[in-house]
């Protein structure tokens, strides 16, 4: 069998619910696979047995919990995915694509829930250690377009108010402003293929796509 290309690269996909990041992550996965790379697509919270169970709790609209409980559950799910999937895969030379990562916690739990930003960043560190994504796409979109894209059946987080999502969106943009080299903001209100052309162009600076 043809040997797959190795390129340890960690790419994350971020944005508010309905921004289209999952579609873009899947398109990126197919692109890189077709170019012969060892590539894995993961999602947060989730992608390990324990993290998927934690995801069920986090998204269950019948449950309510304190903001700190919510924060710590996201971090617990993250510690699992980093320790059991992301770090070992990068060591084996995989391109790892992750649908959400710690910027989501900073945006949703710090800016959205209004928990202390420093505390949230410190808990992110406990979960991931020194791991930092090589590249992060932030799919920015206005709330109206995002709400129209998100499905009818809303999970616990998606039930939050418009003002909550506005804080999350502005939070993401603030995070991106502080880390311009890592985080690339993409206008996600455009057609899927137009957005993906941007993704490809930005990705091509990090990995050979020919
Ligand atoms: P998903 O719908 O993109 O799979 O994400 C699940 C929900 O969890 C979404 O509403 C965003 C939220 N979330 C947080 O609030 N904090 C986090 O750290 C992560 C990873 C997701």
């Amino acid at each position: 069998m043809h040997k797959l290309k190795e390129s340890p690269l960690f790419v994350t996909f971020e944005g508010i619910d309905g921004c289209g990041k999952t579609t873009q992550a899947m398109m990126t996965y197919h692109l890189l696979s077709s170019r012969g790379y060892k590539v894995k697509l993961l999602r947060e919270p989730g992608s390990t047995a324990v993290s998927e169970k934690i995801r069920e709790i986090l998204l269950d609209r019948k449950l309510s919990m304190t903001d700190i409980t919510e924060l710590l559950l996201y971090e617990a799910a993250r510690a699992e995915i980093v320790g059991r999937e992301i770090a070992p895969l990068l060591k084996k030379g995989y391109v790892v694509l992750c649908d959400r990562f710690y910027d989501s916690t900073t945006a949703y739990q710090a800016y959205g829930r209004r928990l202390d930003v420093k505390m949230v960043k410190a808990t992110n560190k406990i979960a991931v250690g020194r791991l930092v994504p090589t590249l992060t796409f932030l799919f920015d979109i206005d709330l109206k377009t995002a709400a129209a894209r998100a499905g009818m059946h809303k999970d616990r987080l998606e039930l939050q108010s418009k003002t909550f999502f506005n804080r999350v969106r502005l939070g993401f943009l603030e995070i991106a402003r502080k880390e311009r080299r890592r985080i690339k903001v993409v206008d996600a209100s455009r057609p899927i293929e137009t957005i993906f052309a941007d993704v490809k162009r930005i990705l091509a600076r990090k990995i050979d796509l020919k």
Side-chain angles (χ1 to χ4, degrees):
M1 207 181 95
H2 204 73
K3 199 168 176 309
L4 291 171
K5 288 191 263 184
E6 294 194 5
S7 179
L9 192 71
F10 181 32
V11 185
T12 59
F13 297 75
E14 300 278 11
I16 59 171
D17 297 78
C19 71
K21 66 185 167 41
T22 304
T23 305
Q24 296 296 324
M26 280 163 60
M27 289 167 84
T28 306
Y29 174 82
H30 291 301
L31 171 73
L32 292 172
S33 308
S34 74
R35 298 295 191 269
Y37 284 100
K38 282 161 77 166
V39 51
K40 184 93 181 204
L41 173 59
L42 304 169
R43 72 165 177 183
E44 270 233 79
S47 295
T48 74
V50 168
S51 305
E52 287 291 338
K53 291 219 163 166
I54 296 173
R55 180 186 177 90
E56 279 174 31
I57 297 171
L58 278 165
L59 301 188
D60 187 342
R61 47 195 279 173
K62 295 193 294 297
L63 298 177
S64 76
M65 60 186 78
T66 72
D67 293 346
I68 294 288
T69 308
E70 181 181 281
L71 168 70
L72 294 176
L73 285 175
Y74 278 112
E75 301 296 8
R78 179 160 305 128
E80 278 295 299
I81 198 178
V82 169
R84 291 179 183 268
E85 292 285 335
I86 301 174
L89 286 166
L90 290 171
K91 246 191 201 148
K92 285 189 222 156
Y94 274 77
V95 178
V96 178
L97 309 176
C98 202
D99 186 341
R100 296 197 184 281
F101 198 54
Y102 59 52
D103 297 312
S104 276
T105 315
T106 311
Y108 280 78
Q109 278 64 52
Y111 290 92
R113 297 288 192 217
R114 295 193 161 127
L115 292 176
D116 181 70
V117 180
K118 271 195 190 147
M119 178 188 71
V120 170
K121 286 191 172 170
T123 54
N124 284 343
K125 262 216 140 44
I126 293 173
V128 309
R130 286 211 297 259
L131 183 65
V132 178
T134 323
L135 172 65
T136 296
F137 290 104
L138 169 56
F139 297 97
D140 182 53
I141 192 166
D142 61 281
L143 297 188
K144 217 172 145 197
T145 315
R149 275 192 198 162
M152 290 293 285
H153 186 79
K154 291 184 164 49
D155 62 38
R156 196 179 60 83
L157 268 290
E158 287 166 346
L159 283 172
Q160 300 307 308
S161 66
K162 243 174 128 176
T163 51
F164 173 86
F165 280 108
N166 200 39
R167 287 201 299 273
V168 175
R169 180 190 184 195
L170 297 178
F172 269 128
L173 290 170
E174 174 81 17
I175 296 165
R177 258 195 301 276
K178 288 185 181 153
E179 286 189 69
R180 285 178 203 272
R181 283 174 70 95
R182 171 172 72 88
I183 306 175
K184 304 299 171 197
V185 182
V186 176
D187 174 0
S189 64
R190 300 167 301 161
I192 289 174
E193 288 300 338
T194 314
I195 301 169
F196 192 57
D198 276 3
V199 168
K200 251 165 79 178
R201 186 175 45 77
I202 294 166
L203 205 56
R205 296 180 201 148
K206 302 277 179 201
I207 194 167
D208 181 12
L209 294 180
K210 282 188 232 90

